Amino acid sequence: MNRPHLSPRIEPAELAWNDGVPESIRFGDVYFSRDNGLEETRHVFLGHNQLPERFSEVPEGGSFVIAENGFGTGLNFLAAWQAWQSQAPTHAATLHFVSVERFPLTREDLTRALALWPELKALADELLQHYPPLVHGVHRLVLNGGRVRLTLFFGDINDAWQSLDFKADAWFLDGFAPSCNPDMWLENTINQVRSHSKPGTTLATFTSVGRIRRALIEVGFRMEKTSGYGRKREMLKGILEAKDPLRPQSPDTIAIIGAGIAGCSLARNLADRGYPVVLIDSSSPGAGASGNLQGALYVKLGVEFNDQTELALTSLTFAQHYYSKWGDQYWHPTGLLQLAHSPQEADRQARFLQRNDYPEDILYPVNRELAGRLSGVPTQSGGLWFPRSGWLEPGNLCRELAEHPLITTQFDMSVESLKACSGKWRICAQEGATITADRVAICAGHASPELIPTERRFRLKAIRGQVTHLPQSTLINPKAVICGNRYLNPALDDIAVTGATFDLHDNNPSITAESHNENIHEISSMLPSLFSASIGEVQNEDLDGRVAFRCTTHDYQPAAGPVFKTAMSGLDGLYLLTGLGSKGLTYAPLLAEYLADQLTGQPACLPWNLVRRLEPQRLHQTDVAIS
Ligand code: SAM
């Protein structure tokens, strides 16, 4: 079910600066102590959750989860991150920090607030570099080379804890004083704190208000008053009593079938978290739909800000950060123009702009003149400009992602079937080889349905797409990606890729002159002054290109998650990540992050409304019994 229309932009905090310390005008309270905010954080939140000590006990591949009420200036987060850096084990382990903020600071205010802590400067700079645009929803920031993952919910606390799936090891209860902000301390919130806790979870809060202490005792925490920081005499700390604390589980074996952008991103994500994986492909990384020379980082955001739009938007902003580490290699953040290439698209864009208010770091409208200047090609109309988007070399990127000491590759292995056997999965290949794994993620694009061991049909289809390699000498080389009925990328090694055709019911794997014709016809009607006269001399038969098959779902939304919802006998441990259509480069990084969260039992980077949108069960066509 889609949520009612909600503008993507979220209202920022309004600050007053008194003696250099930020105060919320709305709540009439300070973000941190006037005495010394950093020391207060260390005393109240780190010390009383025994944090540095507990960090050092996190096992290999494990994680420690801190949840916080009120992100504010991010001071608590940075202090926890700094402690993690000095106390965490040297093996692969992840600090998760889950926080909520109803009125986020603008980047400018955040920069000013964090400048107060010179010793946190390096971490603050990294946070600022990844700080999300001020739009509603969940933002996952992958920091410190993946050793720190921040899940930032921009919205109200009640929505946040209802829609996020995680269990905290420690809580920082840091809303403003209950008298200034009672909404943050309602019974409902306290109940949510309990449901996101587990035996042994601790909490700390600067407040010592009796009502809050009693409410926390009521839901099962053993509470204690202790000495506060500075002028505050008292504060509270607590623990959810555990007769038998949960034992961390050792990572099991995970196999991933399919080494396209989805499978490679997932394999790398798990390996970075310390999980060994086997990556299997019938060919090599990026050999299928992810293997084009160039691909645009592109989404079409809906006129309604609904779940679909939210998923596309979060995927886009996540992917922009994700690819930035290959900024001098395979990622080219040139900007991207979504051209109003037809009267219908111009009308759609007009309605889109009227209904929605997007921050300019995501997109803004441009007129014809500016569109031409930014893209480097004269256009017939304006459009939407995505300043942080661009294009990728997806094949090269897939190959690089697959290289990691914890990724064992099994290429040239054609998987024929998957068999559940004694709680494990046996992966059987054509050549008679088998691999056994505890869990399997199928990321095999349009070949995925054949691998799912059930007679149920899955509503996935393959759609042929041919791209055309245009010689740079035949055209005005664009400075940025231009999208409309076709996309066009700035040339790489004298070739600019345009495409792709969208050929339903066509399974021809060979390049055809008709498809080149169609691509050239579409791109030249979108950009009539693109080609020089020399294009006339190039025979379509002489043009190069590539054919691949996208995997699309019946509702054109991706699928990510367990294949079967209920733990059906012997069929759990099977996951699907596919159906990314022609937006694979945009969706893959975030959906791989989400699936890696599930496979590792770590906090989810997506809220429930988006998790539901992605559920593979919606693709089941019939209820025929399992084979
Ligand atoms: N932990 C922060 C830090 O390290 O800077 C300070 C947090 S400040 C004391 C409390 C925060 O809670 C404010 O940023 C405020 O905007 C936020 N807040 C207040 N009411 C909220 C609500 N209903 N939902 C989510 N956040 C809320």
Side-chain angles (χ1 to χ4, degrees):
M1 196 182 71
N2 285 336
R3 289 178 304 158
H5 171 72
L6 180 71
S7 171
R9 196 191 284 264
I10 187 164
E11 199 180 339
E14 270 187 82
L15 303 191
W17 295 84
N18 286 325
D19 309 323
V21 174
E23 242 181 69
S24 159
I25 293 176
R26 175 182 302 268
F27 294 102
D29 200 358
V30 283
Y31 280 83
F32 42 75
S33 157
R34 289 189 181 287
D35 296 338
N36 182 331
L38 182 52
E39 282 310 316
E40 180 192 39
T41 291
R42 286 178 179 145
H43 174 88
V44 175
F45 296 113
L46 304 192
H48 286 299
N49 278 302
Q50 301 92 47
L51 280 200
E53 302 87 300
R54 289 167 75 196
F55 284 165
S56 60
E57 291 159 12
V58 177
E60 183 153 17
S63 66
F64 192 93
V65 182
I66 299 173
E68 177 192 55
N69 285 3
F71 187 73
T73 69
L75 174 61
N76 290 344
F77 167 62
L78 294 186
W81 178 1
Q82 190 191 42
W84 174 255
Q85 277 194 324
S86 62
Q87 297 294 325
T90 48
H91 54 236
T94 312
L95 173 67
H96 275 271
F97 197 96
V98 184
S99 192
V100 54
E101 184 50 64
R102 174 69 187 85
F103 303 100
L105 268 66
T106 61
R107 176 179 300 280
E108 295 67 37
D109 281 334
L110 192 67
T111 309
R112 184 169 170 192
L114 293 179
L116 291 169
W117 319 111
E119 67 170 289
L120 298 176
K121 182 169 176 358
L123 307 188
D125 286 349
E126 192 172 338
L127 171 64
L128 283 162
Q129 204 191 331
H130 289 255
Y131 194 59
L134 298 198
V135 290
H136 285 274
V138 185
H139 306 275
R140 166 63 62 85
L141 281 63
V142 180
L143 304 161
N144 202 170
R147 284 180 67 80
V148 175
R149 290 179 138 85
L150 169 62
T151 308
L152 199 46
F153 186 104
F154 279 172
D156 195 83
I157 189 163
N158 285 310
D159 296 332
W161 299 156
Q162 267 168 37
S163 55
L164 284 174
D165 183 14
F166 68 93
K167 291 279 185 209
D169 292 289
W171 279 93
F172 294 1
L173 300 184
D174 191 23
F176 290 119
S179 53
C180 300
N181 185 19
D183 286 0
M184 196 91 158
W185 300 96
L186 298 174
E187 200 186 319
N188 184 32
T189 317
I190 306 268
N191 288 336
Q192 287 291 344
V193 168
R194 170 64 184 88
S195 18
H196 289 289
S197 298
K198 57 191 176 188
T201 295
T202 59
L203 65 81
T205 175
F206 61 88
T207 183
S208 58
V209 169
R211 170 180 75 78
I212 290 165
R213 191 174 129 257
R214 287 190 295 278
L216 286 163
I217 292 172
E218 185 97 335
V219 296
F221 285 92
R222 177 158 58 80
M223 298 300 301
E224 198 183 312
K225 268 192 191 170
T226 179
S227 56
Y229 177 77
R231 278 169 277 181
K232 283 194 179 139
R233 267 202 9 253
E234 292 181 321
M235 59 163 279
L236 295 173
K237 66 174 186 174
I239 181 165
L240 194 63
E241 296 279 29
K243 281 202 195 85
D244 187 14
L246 299 176
R247 303 240 167 275
Q249 287 181 338
S250 57
D252 48 14
T253 49
I254 300 173
I256 296 167
I257 304 176
I261 189 69
C264 289
S265 313
L266 179 60
R268 182 56 171 263
N269 196 313
L270 288 164
D272 282 343
R273 296 187 201 210
Y275 278 64
V277 290
V278 181
L279 178 61
I280 304 167
D281 197 283
S282 58
S283 180
S284 53
S290 307
N292 288 345
L293 285 181
Q294 301 185 306
L297 189 61
Y298 175 58
V299 284
K300 201 161 180 178
L301 298 169
V303 171
E304 299 288 328
F305 188 67
N306 54 22
D307 293 343
Q308 255 164 257
T309 312
E310 186 181 337
L311 180 65
L313 175 62
T314 325
S315 300
L316 178 71
T317 54
F318 185 85
Q320 288 168 350
H321 282 295
Y322 180 80
Y323 294 129
S324 64
K325 34 183 185 298
W326 292 283
D328 48 3
Q329 289 170 289
Y330 315 130
W331 165 232
H332 306 266
T334 52
L336 180 147
L337 176 67
Q338 188 182 316
L339 203 59
H341 60 92
S342 64
Q344 293 79 359
E345 178 58 14
D347 175 60
R348 200 196 74 84
Q349 290 190 8
R351 284 183 290 119
F352 170 82
L353 291 167
Q354 204 180 13
R355 289 291 291 267
N356 296 280
D357 180 17
Y358 277 90
E360 292 210 335
D361 44 359
I362 297 177
L363 65 93
Y364 55 91
V366 289
N367 61 22
R368 176 184 167 175
E369 198 225 322
L370 190 52
R373 205 146 23 95
L374 289 166
S375 68
V377 179
T379 61
Q380 292 186 301
S381 64
L384 301 175
W385 176 248
F386 291 73
R388 297 192 175 181
S389 238
W391 63 275
L392 282 150
E393 298 169 41
N396 284 336
L397 183 69
C398 287
R399 283 181 278 283
E400 163 123 1
L401 286 170
E403 271 177 36
H404 189 288
L406 288 182
I407 302 178
T408 306
T409 54
Q410 286 287 343
F411 296 145
D412 299 318
M413 175 171 173
S414 285
V415 177
E416 203 159 55
S417 64
L418 289 175
K419 292 196 175 89
C421 130
S422 322
K424 288 187 186 282
W425 286 98
R426 189 177 308 141
I427 302 164
C428 309
Q430 265 170 10
E431 306 79 19
T434 59
I435 290 177
T436 304
D438 294 299
R439 286 176 297 164
V440 177
I442 302 173
C443 309
H446 64 91
S448 301
E450 291 146 40
L451 297 176
I452 303 173
T454 161
E455 283 172 12
R456 291 176 176 191
R457 289 180 61 78
F458 280 73
R459 288 184 282 183
L460 289 164
K461 55 183 179 232
I463 300 178
R464 181 182 184 274
Q466 179 175 319
V467 294
T468 301
H469 294 175
L470 297 169
Q472 189 183 330
S473 55
T474 62
L475 47 80
I476 305 173
N477 189 21
K479 291 195 290 193
V481 184
I482 308 174
C483 296
N485 257 351
R486 287 294 184 275
Y487 64 80
L488 175 70
N489 294 294
L492 168 72
D493 299 333
D494 299 329
I495 296 292
V497 175
T498 189
T501 58
F502 195 86
D503 310 318
L504 287 162
H505 317 299
D506 180 351
N507 55 12
N508 181 3
S510 307
I511 294 173
T512 65
E514 295 77 55
S515 292
H516 280 325
N517 232 349
E518 190 187 313
N519 281 336
I520 291 176
H521 172 77
E522 289 293 342
I523 197 76
S524 42
S525 44
M526 209 175 102
L527 298 164
S529 44
L530 176 71
F531 288 110
S532 63
S534 64
I535 187 75
E537 292 153 25
V538 180
Q539 297 298 311
N540 282 355
E541 292 75 25
D542 299 336
L543 282 170
D544 222 339
R546 195 165 180 276
V547 174
F549 292 85
R550 316 166 178 91
C551 177
T552 311
T553 61
H554 64 294
D555 56 11
Y556 292 99
Q557 290 296 293
V563 177
F564 303 103
K565 196 164 190 167
T566 48
M568 300 171 78
S569 53
L571 284 176
D572 43 353
L574 191 62
Y575 296 78
L576 191 64
L577 171 51
T578 192
L580 313 187
S582 48
K583 308 289 187 295
L585 299 178
T586 310
Y587 284 127
L590 182 66
L591 300 189
E593 176 81 6
Y594 162 64
L595 209 54
D597 292 339
Q598 287 203 331
L599 285 160
T600 56
Q602 294 176 15
C605 64
L606 294 177
W608 265 115
N609 56 313
L610 300 190
V611 168
R612 269 199 314 267
R613 197 75 199 83
L614 292 164
E615 278 172 356
Q617 297 88 48
R618 74 184 200 282
L619 310 179
H620 295 172
Q621 213 156 33
T622 56
D623 260 351
V624 182
I626 298 136
S627 60

